[in-house]
Amino acid sequence: MSSPEKIQRPTAPAVTPTGKATGPTSKNMPKAKRKHKLPVVDKPVIYQMIPRLFANMNENCVPDGDITQNGCGKLNDITDTVLASIHDLGATHVWYTGVIEHAHATDYSAFGITPDDPSVVKGKAGSPYAIKDYYDIDPDIAVSVPDRIKEFEALIDRTHNAGMRVVMDFVPNHVARCYHSDAAPTGIEDFGQGDDSTKFFSPANNFYYIPRQLFQPQFPIGDYNEFPAKASGNDCFNAFPSRNDWYETVKLNYGVDYGDGTCHFNPIPPTWFKMLHILRYWAAKGIDAFRCDMVFMVPLDFWEWAIPQVKDTYPHIQFIAEIYDVNLYRDFLFRGHFDYLYDKVNLYDTLRDVQCHHHSAATITDCWQRIDGIGARMLNFLENHDEQRFASAEYAGDASKVLPSLIVSSMISTAPFMIYAGQELGEKADDAEGFSGKDGRTTIFDYWSIPTLRRWLNGGKADGGALSAEERDLRAIYAKVLHLLNSEPAISKGDFFDVMYVNFENPHFSPHRNYAFLRHYGDTTLLIAVNFSDKATDIAINIPRLAFDMYGIQEGKRTATELLSGRRQNRTLSSTVPFLTALPPWGAVVWKMK
């Protein structure tokens, strides 16, 4: 969202002299009790999972089935054994997606939870991003519904005990249409409580209203009644959202009047205080990072105000931003105080174009140049819950082709790298699960299970005993690559040097299908090259004299180790003699030389 022209910034009375928020919903929270001293991580490797799907062992799910028919994974199923295996894969963090209570079609009224109207729920299981209670854990994923928060706290402890950090979602832009908290601490008002619903916008309101209009989407919604209608979460400021809108959510009001483009941040809007309290509430549980949803749909001023206050009490907490505009990257890093940003529209999209649309591998150079100086603060990935699976028919169609993209995405910088549960097994997501059709994605709306993960979990053993040979081999490749990210300082701490500019006219190197670069740290240099082609090739890589001068690399013969295969050979590293290496189809090499 571009910044409106008229901005009223907070003044001193809105905060204390130390900059801490005041108000009834910004009470001091206890410091997180950290039972485990976690190892320092130079390059975070995040394993994303949706617990509802991850641990569901039902092999006979039916499209659009309810929780009784299709089952549901539980937090308690993510055992010490499971977490040890994820850690052994090379993960340093686990992002538990969809753990906060959200709207769904399952009735938990017996536990004092108000049922949701299925007319405004997407799928039987509902979207993890239609938040129903910011202070609660979703009852679907609890073995004992009354103890659901305790079960999540125990999972935090197990994850830390396994040597990994915990990431959880923070969804600031919208809530479920029937938001109601039954778990908020005493004195915390619900969103919308006390709003003046006769006004489209008021700085004191939590929601935007469509006065005198009944909520009436462009499709049947049964007996659900909402009057006046509230604006939907994707900035749909009318009473008639379509099926393609986020009709199951309500947009939150941070003080931006979308009617005239003005911002009203002084006094600080009540939504700001409520959100700060929620962040502190979960930080006090001992989590380590928030993955913040659609950050650009919330005013940058809020992040500038809130994140330092959370970090003041919980300095270890990190903030990861989902963002889709390269032009906003620096603002959200330096003014908004985020630690890391999604690099979806830059590196992810480029690698996908190279993989699927025959774009030149030379375009990868544009990616690091576009974010030069902030590359270490990107979050790189090939899959997440929003994107199509790499092995799906809609993407690469073959998990065995992943190595070039995997190597580039994970090794191009010191930035964090993320994989999505099942990616390491070649999950194809070729089911039509219900609300989510056959679209190459693993559903986030339906009760379902993931075949590759069932085979890997193998009845809770988490030993891959039921995997195919190809799935085991692929997981071994991922484990090799992910471990290198932190075991090789040249990758986790080192400098990056793109050698493409001296290879464009090289007859023994195809800049269209090959990409090559150096990583250097201390006395170690890595030469990394990949092949985005189904044909094996022998390439000769020119390395410019500038690289030798910059890093003090001595030219000459030495013993080199190819880190993916483990083979050792005597190689020549020179600015006048090209470096020779073979690349298999859809292959890669990581040559290490001291």
Side-chain angles (χ1 to χ4, degrees):
M1 180 184 71
S2 59
S3 299
E5 292 181 359
K6 301 177 184 177
I7 297 179
Q8 295 175 295
R9 296 194 182 279
T11 55
V15 294
T16 66
T18 60
K20 294 182 176 63
T22 60
T25 61
S26 57
K27 300 172 185 176
N28 290 334
M29 289 286 185
K31 290 187 180 296
K33 297 179 180 179
R34 305 186 65 76
K35 300 178 182 178
H36 307 282
K37 186 174 181 179
L38 297 170
V40 174
V41 174
D42 292 312
K43 184 179 174 76
V45 179
I46 301 172
Y47 188 90
Q48 182 195 4
M49 70 160 75
I50 299 177
R52 179 216 301 157
L53 300 169
F54 178 85
N56 188 0
M57 295 292 103
N58 186 0
E59 298 181 12
N60 301 301
C61 292
V62 297
D64 205 36
D66 61 25
I67 194 169
T68 303
Q69 295 169 297
N70 286 2
C72 184
K74 307 296 181 182
L75 296 176
N76 288 359
D77 295 328
I78 307 167
T79 63
D80 292 330
T81 300
V82 170
L83 291 166
S85 187
I86 292 172
H87 187 247
D88 287 345
L89 182 66
T92 63
H93 294 60
V94 184
W95 169 17
Y96 296 110
T97 305
V99 297
I100 296 179
E101 184 179 342
H102 56 269
H104 41 57
T106 305
D107 186 350
Y108 288 99
S109 56
F111 299 96
I113 300 172
T114 305
D116 298 291
D117 191 310
S119 299
V120 285
V121 174
K122 289 183 176 178
K124 290 290 194 299
S127 168
Y129 295 96
I131 300 299
K132 180 179 177 177
D133 185 347
Y134 278 114
Y135 290 96
D136 211 347
I137 293 300
D138 196 78
D140 276 349
I141 54 177
V143 172
S144 170
V145 173
D147 298 316
R148 54 196 180 276
I149 292 181
K150 291 180 181 179
E151 290 186 13
F152 181 63
E153 291 170 340
L155 178 60
I156 294 173
D157 287 342
R158 289 198 300 277
T159 307
H160 287 163
N161 191 49
M164 296 181 291
R165 290 165 169 81
V166 173
V167 183
M168 77 179 298
D169 285 296
F170 175 56
V171 185
N173 178 59
H174 48 266
V175 297
R177 297 214 83 91
C178 300
Y179 183 90
H180 171 67
S181 177
D182 51 37
T186 302
I188 301 301
E189 291 185 349
D190 261 357
F191 285 91
Q193 186 175 340
D195 277 9
D196 182 352
S197 62
T198 67
K199 297 179 179 178
F200 165 74
F201 168 80
S202 166
N205 283 354
N206 295 137
F207 300 135
Y208 297 92
Y209 295 89
I210 319 300
R212 300 178 300 280
Q213 290 279 352
L214 180 70
F215 179 69
Q216 196 166 10
Q218 300 171 33
F219 52 89
I221 59 167
D223 296 328
Y224 176 75
N225 185 285
E226 179 180 296
F227 182 87
K230 304 180 187 75
S232 296
N234 60 321
D235 293 356
C236 178
F237 295 103
N238 62 62
F240 316 110
S242 72
R243 284 193 181 276
N244 294 325
D245 287 310
W246 302 352
Y247 65 82
E248 82 281 22
T249 67
V250 174
K251 173 82 173 176
L252 284 169
N253 172 8
Y254 282 79
V256 179
D257 185 345
Y258 289 91
D260 62 15
T262 57
C263 292
H264 303 261
F265 301 155
N266 180 26
I268 292 176
T271 300
W272 290 30
F273 285 118
K274 290 181 179 182
M275 284 302 188
L276 177 60
H277 192 274
I278 290 160
L279 287 166
R280 287 170 163 167
Y281 173 85
W282 291 110
K285 299 289 186 186
I287 71 157
D288 304 281
F290 291 104
R291 178 271 189 188
C292 301
D293 189 66
M294 303 296 284
V295 299
F296 54 94
M297 299 186 79
V298 170
L300 182 58
D301 299 70
F302 167 75
W303 301 112
E304 182 182 25
W305 173 85
I307 290 177
Q309 297 192 70
V310 177
K311 286 177 174 277
D312 183 65
T313 309
Y314 308 100
H316 71 283
I317 292 283
Q318 294 185 313
F319 285 80
I320 302 167
E322 179 191 18
I323 190 168
Y324 299 117
D325 187 343
V326 177
N327 295 318
L328 296 177
Y329 280 8
R330 286 169 173 80
D331 282 346
F332 277 82
L333 287 173
F334 300 121
R335 187 179 150 203
H337 304 292
F338 279 92
D339 296 283
Y340 302 112
L341 312 178
Y342 269 38
D343 195 25
K344 192 270 182 190
V345 294
N346 187 43
L347 185 60
Y348 170 90
D349 283 352
T350 298
L351 288 173
R352 181 158 181 162
D353 285 341
V354 173
Q355 181 81 39
C356 302
H357 305 300
H358 221 60
H359 284 206
S360 174
T363 59
I364 298 170
T365 295
D366 297 335
C367 293
W368 69 262
Q369 290 177 335
R370 198 172 291 123
I371 57 169
D372 195 23
I374 59 172
R377 297 179 68 180
M378 299 296 103
L379 173 64
N380 294 330
F381 54 85
L382 299 180
E383 290 187 15
N384 64 47
H385 68 277
D386 286 318
E387 308 300 338
Q388 291 170 325
R389 294 285 193 171
F390 182 91
S392 70
E394 291 79 4
Y395 193 162
D398 184 349
S400 68
K401 296 180 178 180
V402 75
L403 195 56
S405 292
L406 177 62
I407 291 294
V408 172
S409 185
S410 66
M411 295 187 180
I412 198 169
S413 71
T414 59
F417 182 67
M418 180 172 72
I419 71 168
Y420 183 31
Q423 175 183 340
E424 75 279 20
L425 307 171
E427 175 58 39
K428 294 179 179 293
D430 56 4
D431 298 318
E433 302 99 332
F435 185 88
S436 180
K438 187 180 184 304
D439 58 2
R441 296 175 178 85
T442 294
T443 181
I444 65 169
F445 304 109
D446 304 284
Y447 295 112
W448 205 254
S449 70
I450 302 174
T452 51
L453 287 173
R454 290 200 311 268
R455 293 194 287 273
W456 169 70
L457 283 166
N458 194 25
K461 298 176 185 177
D463 60 2
L467 293 175
S468 68
E470 292 79 8
E471 290 165 344
R472 285 195 297 272
D473 290 346
L474 182 65
R475 193 175 193 273
I477 290 170
Y478 270 89
K480 171 69 75 174
V481 171
L482 298 184
H483 276 283
L484 288 175
L485 302 186
N486 279 295
S487 65
E488 288 296 331
I491 299 174
S492 61
K493 302 177 184 180
D495 293 327
F496 164 85
F497 192 102
D498 190 321
V499 301
M500 295 296 284
Y501 75 100
V502 291
N503 286 285
F504 284 136
E505 298 181 3
N506 180 349
H508 304 293
F509 182 96
S510 168
H512 185 58
R513 304 315 293 164
N514 301 139
Y515 185 71
F517 58 96
L518 305 177
R519 298 298 309 276
H520 182 85
Y521 184 80
D523 64 351
T524 300
T525 299
L526 303 183
L527 175 59
I528 301 171
V530 301
N531 179 23
F532 290 97
S533 168
D534 58 5
K535 294 181 174 58
T537 183
D538 295 320
I539 61 173
I541 305 171
N542 293 325
I543 304 174
R545 180 67 208 178
L546 177 61
F548 291 88
D549 293 340
M550 283 182 63
Y551 303 127
I553 302 170
Q554 297 296 315
E555 299 194 43
K557 292 184 177 180
R558 68 207 60 203
T559 301
T561 302
E562 203 289 294
L563 296 178
L564 300 178
S565 64
R567 68 182 185 275
R568 293 167 61 85
Q569 294 180 357
N570 291 325
R571 310 306 298 267
T572 297
L573 195 61
S574 170
S575 61
T576 58
V577 179
F579 188 98
L580 306 177
T581 188
L583 283 171
W586 301 103
V589 290
V590 181
W591 286 104
K592 178 179 180 178
M593 294 157 283
K594 284 187 176 293

